[in-house]
Amino acid sequence: RKLVLIGFMGAGKSTAARSAAEALGTRAFDVDRVVEERLGKPVADVFAQDGEAAFRSAEEQTTLELLDDSAVQVLALGGGATASQLVRQALGRHVVVWLDIGLDTAWDRVAGSGRPLARDRDSFQRLYEQRQTSYEALADVTVSGERLESMPEVLDAIQGLPQGARMLWAATASSDYPAYVGPGLITQQRFWPATVDGRRFVVTDGRVAGLYGEAIQPQDGRVVIMPGEQSKTVAHADIVWTELARAGMTRQDVVVALGGGVVGDLAGFCAATYQRGVRYVQVPTTLVAQVDSAYGGKTGVDLAQAKNYVGAYHQPAAVLSDPGVLQTLPEAERASGYAEVLKTALIAGGPLWEQIAAGADPLSVEVIVACARTKLRVVERDERDAGLRQVLNLGHTVGHAIETVTGYARYRHGEAVGLGLLVALRLSELEDLRQQVADLLAAHGLPTRLEGADPDAVVMATARDKKRVGEGPVPFVLLEAPGRPRVGCEVPPRALIEAVREVAAS
Ligand code: NAD
Ligand code: ZN
């Protein structure tokens, strides 16, 4: 199988191909350059003199030939090559690496370069949106266009990647890591990244231990906590630290967080602090965790006063998501995960929102990958919540407040977030969208009405939101439209009280 680089104009396919080829001790081929050699003129001249159709036909033929040529190991395709059905088919036999860049970065890199398709910003944007969907569908591996020189690490991380599994290269300011998504990845294939060595100490909860406790092999120790949010406390962290020490875990070893968001947040926090920080691998087993909590490195525990109030940023060494394990997830837990899918789709807008609005299966590999990618792109640009990352908090200011005032017992995290989304959309004055979201929540078995909590107490509890600075107003994430979140919005207290009371009465 060849390594084939795809991506939009300006993504850096040639640079990444060179970086990969160097690591593999071979040379990189670039379809555009080969076409230019064959036609004897630059691509821009082919467009101008012979037209785009002539270029596409030469491009398709050259691409297919190179994909069949045993002398070629690393190949960079042109941005539009994947429009060809024959090329897409041929790519199925190879490892396809998508260099994913943001629209603005792409435009900054190529505007004024004289490329025929980069002259007008609006048509550039349309083309970008159209191609994004096909790149995402084809990609075995997704790497940020900001990590062109990381191909050697990426290649190490995909060693032994089972066919059908995908890998997203997570880039953050503090460290990069692979996030794998594949049906059967741990249950059947027992995949473990070659890049993560050391003895494995599993932290899990009682229910997950019974179902998947043996999927991680070999295992040098295991700590089992009680299932549920009430285990996400410092007292439980103490138990985990103590058990790890008793089992003889050292700094060369790794913690494996096997479970949902509760296990992930708690075990991640213990890994961040045990011996001042050891590596950990997230093996998320709930939908909440596979689409959201396992990525991004936020770890921590709750206080009785407020959620996630003590913790640390600590990126995992890898994430292994096996959607196969979601088959045993109880209905209510799937529903809870759906709320995070919905939140992510509202933030992402575009194709992900369209799919979710049209009723796409939230447990599908495509949806899980798209949600993970959305989150990772945000964290890449703002690991420590300086601004942009706060978009991920859509629906969470009120959601967390609901969890706190109900003692972390009445509502699951996702259920509370669903209610929080309704409040946020009310405050955003998007009534039609709010109704659409309420219908989607209800269709997935989620509550659309707040019960068992005093709305005024919920409003009081929002004052402890961690995004608040000093005595200032609580900053809300509001939405202008799907795909257009706004952070740091000030909401008048009256409007907030009315919006929370409304969801309590609806
Ligand atoms: P959870 O971890 O409590 O899991 C829910 C239940 O499902 C548990 O009873 C568990 O035993 C069971 N379970 C897990 N996997 C199963 C499987 N495959 N089959 C059958 N049962 C299974 O809850 P959650 O919803 O995964 O996580 C919620 C937590 O995640 C909250 O504390 C929330 O704050 C946190 N979170 C963190 C982040 C982050 O960025 N760190 C993001 C979102 C949510
Ligand atoms: Zn959440």
Side-chain angles (χ1 to χ4, degrees):
R1 292 165 86 200
K2 303 181 199 309
L3 198 72
V4 185
L5 285 299
I6 63 168
F8 201 58
M9 281 173 266
K13 298 180 287 290
S14 310
T15 311
R18 272 196 303 276
S19 162
E22 206 170 298
L24 294 169
T26 179
R27 85 165 252 236
F29 289 80
D30 193 319
V31 173
D32 277 354
R33 297 291 86 73
V34 178
V35 169
E36 287 180 333
E37 274 162 33
R38 289 185 177 178
L39 298 181
K41 51 187 163 188
V43 172
D45 291 357
V46 183
F47 264 76
Q49 295 159 14
D50 314 313
E52 180 168 356
F55 172 76
R56 293 293 168 214
S57 132
E59 180 184 44
E60 179 182 63
Q61 201 191 336
T62 308
T63 305
L64 292 172
E65 278 172 32
L66 292 169
L67 285 174
D68 233 11
D69 184 341
S70 59
V72 177
Q73 274 184 57
V74 179
L75 182 64
L77 300 199
T82 53
S84 150
Q85 163 80 25
L86 290 173
V87 167
R88 288 202 303 272
Q89 247 166 24
L91 286 176
R93 297 192 296 275
H94 303 290
V95 179
V96 177
V97 180
W98 170 30
L99 293 176
D100 179 19
I101 43 165
L103 173 65
D104 293 334
T105 316
W107 179 249
D108 288 348
R109 286 186 189 171
V110 301
S113 68
R115 294 197 199 204
L117 298 175
R119 292 195 180 127
D120 162 67
R121 166 84 199 207
D122 285 343
S123 48
F124 186 81
Q125 175 163 356
R126 274 196 302 281
L127 194 61
Y128 175 92
E129 284 164 1
Q130 191 185 319
R131 287 187 181 168
Q132 222 41 16
T133 317
S134 86
Y135 297 146
E136 179 152 44
L138 288 166
D140 298 303
V141 177
T142 302
V143 178
S144 156
E146 308 291 335
R147 288 294 190 274
L148 304 179
E149 308 298 339
S150 300
M151 292 310 291
E153 290 86 356
V154 171
L155 290 172
D156 284 344
I158 59 174
Q159 278 176 59
L161 185 70
Q163 190 108 30
R166 309 198 192 189
M167 192 266 267
L168 301 166
W169 186 250
T172 74
S174 65
S175 71
D176 292 4
Y177 55 92
Y180 307 87
V181 182
L185 198 62
I186 64 152
T187 45
Q188 286 154 31
Q189 287 140 356
R190 300 279 154 104
F191 175 76
W192 187 260
T195 48
V196 183
D197 56 3
R199 295 185 301 159
R200 301 169 201 168
F201 292 77
V202 174
V203 179
T204 187
D205 73 30
R207 180 179 295 168
V208 178
L211 290 163
Y212 306 107
E214 300 305 322
I216 305 298
Q217 294 298 343
Q219 220 174 91
D220 289 275
R222 187 188 292 181
V223 187
V224 182
I225 57 158
M226 292 261 288
E229 185 73 29
Q230 281 147 317
S231 289
K232 224 177 94 174
T233 69
V234 164
H236 291 81
D238 191 355
I239 294 171
V240 175
W241 290 317
T242 306
E243 290 295 320
L244 293 176
R246 278 204 190 124
M249 183 179 172
T250 72
R251 292 177 49 192
Q252 271 69 49
D253 303 325
V254 310
V255 169
V256 182
L258 175 67
V262 166
V263 163
D265 284 9
L266 174 70
F269 175 61
C270 291
T273 42
Y274 183 77
Q275 297 189 355
R276 294 204 185 85
V278 293
R279 292 168 302 152
Y280 73 115
V281 171
Q282 290 275 18
V283 186
T285 64
T286 63
L287 186 57
V288 167
Q290 293 196 0
V291 296
D292 190 342
S293 67
Y295 321 91
K298 276 194 185 178
T299 73
V301 295
D302 302 328
L303 298 184
Q305 287 72 16
K307 210 162 130 102
N308 297 339
Y309 236 48
V310 175
Y313 290 96
H314 187 46
Q315 299 297 340
V319 183
L320 309 179
S321 293
D322 178 348
V325 304
L326 303 177
Q327 293 310 319
T328 54
L329 204 59
E331 205 51 57
E333 298 298 343
R334 288 185 202 190
S336 185
Y338 179 74
E340 299 281 20
V341 171
L342 201 49
K343 172 203 81 169
T344 310
L346 286 168
I347 294 165
L352 179 58
W353 166 245
E354 283 158 27
Q355 284 169 39
I356 295 304
D361 175 10
L363 301 187
S364 71
V365 175
E366 288 70 29
V367 168
I368 292 170
V369 168
C371 289
R373 189 173 72 81
T374 302
K375 176 157 185 186
L376 290 173
R377 290 306 313 253
V378 171
V379 177
E380 176 183 341
R381 286 182 281 162
D382 176 21
E383 183 182 10
R384 302 215 162 196
D385 246 338
L388 175 70
R389 185 169 180 164
Q390 291 172 24
V391 300
L392 299 172
N393 236 37
L394 181 68
H396 279 63
T397 307
V398 167
H400 284 162
I402 291 171
E403 285 184 86
T404 303
V405 303
T406 51
Y408 306 109
R410 176 161 187 137
Y411 288 103
R412 291 178 172 81
H413 176 69
E415 292 168 343
V417 167
L419 295 169
L421 285 175
L422 294 178
V423 173
L425 291 172
R426 173 93 240 238
L427 295 170
S428 305
E429 296 177 14
L430 295 171
E431 275 317 301
D432 291 349
L433 185 61
R434 181 183 191 275
Q435 193 51 54
Q436 192 181 1
V437 166
D439 292 345
L440 287 167
L441 292 171
H444 286 80
L446 285 160
T448 54
R449 190 181 153 171
L450 174 65
E451 284 171 27
D454 171 15
D456 296 356
V458 171
V459 172
M460 297 279 283
T462 61
R464 282 206 227 275
D465 190 281
K466 295 195 296 304
K467 272 75 190 175
R468 186 177 185 204
V469 179
E471 294 288 299
V474 179
F476 271 80
V477 188
L478 299 182
L479 210 59
E480 282 167 11
R484 297 225 310 274
R486 253 186 322 130
V487 300
C489 301
E490 197 170 323
V491 168
R494 245 332 333 129
L496 177 59
I497 288 171
E498 273 166 21
V500 176
R501 283 190 188 152
E502 190 199 12
V503 79
S506 61

